[in-house]
Amino acid sequence: MKKLLVNISFFVAFAFASSCDSNFDELNTNKVSATSIDPAFQLNAAIVGCAYPNGSLIYDIGVVQQIISPNSGVLTGANYNQDNRNATQELWQGYYRNVIKNTRDVINRIQDQPERANLLQMTRIIQAFAFMILTDDYGSIPYFEGGQGYSQQIYLPVYDSQEVIYEDIIKELSEATAALDLSGRVESADILYGGDLNKWKSFGNSLLLRAGMRLSEVDPSRAQQIVQSAFQAGVILSNSENAVIKHDPNYTNTIGNLLNSTEASNFYLTEPFVEYLRSTNDPRLSAIAITYVGAKSGPEQTPENGTYEASVHIGMPMGNDNAGAVQAASDLGLASFYEFAQADRRRLAKNTAPNFLVTASQNNLLLAEARHRGWITTGEVASYYHAGIRAHMEQLGTVDENSAIASDAIEAYISANPFDASKALEQINTQYWVSSFLIGPEAFANFRRSGFPNLDSNPFPGKEVDFINRLTYPNSEISVNSENVNAAIASQGPDNLATKVWWDN
């Protein structure tokens, strides 16, 4: 009897196990979880990933002396002209992880799918944009092998020189923009332009214009060819075509988050920036800045004591640590350094503010320079110059209605500050500096390329370099990919803030 029971138990257990095993795959398969993602949504993730990180505020925007912090620690950067790799790595890590990884994967997935050809070209354009920013900030970077860890299992990518990178970026932009087919599939899920291929073409050509102008000093003849090609194909010339990442309460602006949270009272407009705008009676000063009158602490920076009045705004002098800022405020008769002017975090620097990638203002100013150099023959330098100023002033109102500038104030400014051909390059590129406010990587790049505006070097006693020329590589790259990093350093120059990138030599 005991043996019979054992046998019965065995067969029941066997039958149960067989039953479980036969349904194992079905029971353990999630029938509602996505097994693949539309590559259009991956492109959207890459576009959102192009938003500028906090490190861009600490370095790019600080280098061009628009916004600075007197504080050290995690905020050390262009305020002291010192290296802080916790901040310099942010752009690198954010772009490779969130942009390049996605664009590489999309390209690998759809390059043999002719029905998604337009999506392929759009992805190539975004990838070129991201790589241009990376190489402009760091110089030599992993380009051909960069971002291929996921798709090609290349975990220790070789670094490429900026000269080689730029040649391929120009090729990618030229080919991808030309290949966009207006009769092809419309990728309406696209968050940048809703699948409008005419706008994508203008965007691609605008990046080509920007790339061409980067070469203005290192290879003028090549620069002229590229600029002519981009201009003839058609670039962004109105604010309705601006390439812009639109943020909302769910997908917020990274720098806006920082300036509205832990660091709300730690960043200030600089004296050079405020004084330039004030010296020309520029209405943008009131549209950009706020001063909290009489504030002696961060909590006292309240809307009730805030003013937009241009005559009240005083920028923080460069080269001060916390103690120096306290003394500078006292010397200027301010209640404390909390009374220095700030970028208004409730208007232009709010956490839902857009990130502009390419604007009509920037393009018009680049065309003004190109026309001045004789690289294009259509239009007048002054017309492009004035159009660039006008476009930026009008752009401010698209960010926040309380930053809108009246049309008569715009025309009054242009009339009072006419174009002077004898100072063409200085005027054009100084206006480019203003129009690139909060577009840190582009402001930093054009400042190095053009040499304008004329800024004094940071006077901080402990500075490592007079002017920062590039960002340093992440420590993670140095420790993990050391052989390739060292090869790049041997070719490009020391991994410090002083080494210049190729087009800046």
Side-chain angles (χ1 to χ4, degrees), residues 374-439:
W375 291 354
I376 60 173
T377 57
T378 302
E380 299 297 327
V381 180
S383 297
Y384 289 121
Y385 175 72
H386 294 149
I389 295 171
R390 189 178 292 110
H392 184 244
M393 291 189 178
E394 292 172 348
Q395 175 189 310
L396 296 179
T398 69
V399 178
D400 193 285
E401 61 182 8
N402 293 314
S403 289
I405 299 174
S407 58
D408 57 346
I410 296 174
E411 299 310 319
Y413 172 83
I414 291 173
S415 177
N417 297 275
F419 175 71
D420 182 347
S422 68
K423 300 177 180 178
L425 292 180
E426 179 179 4
Q427 281 192 329
I428 291 167
N429 287 290
T430 300
Q431 285 294 335
Y432 198 93
W433 173 59
V434 178
S435 78
S436 298
F437 180 66
L438 293 177
I439 311 176

Side-chain angles (χ1 to χ4, degrees), residues 105 176 224 250 392 453 458 505:
D105 190 46
Q224 180 176 357
N250 294 315
H392 184 244
N458 188 333
N505 284 313

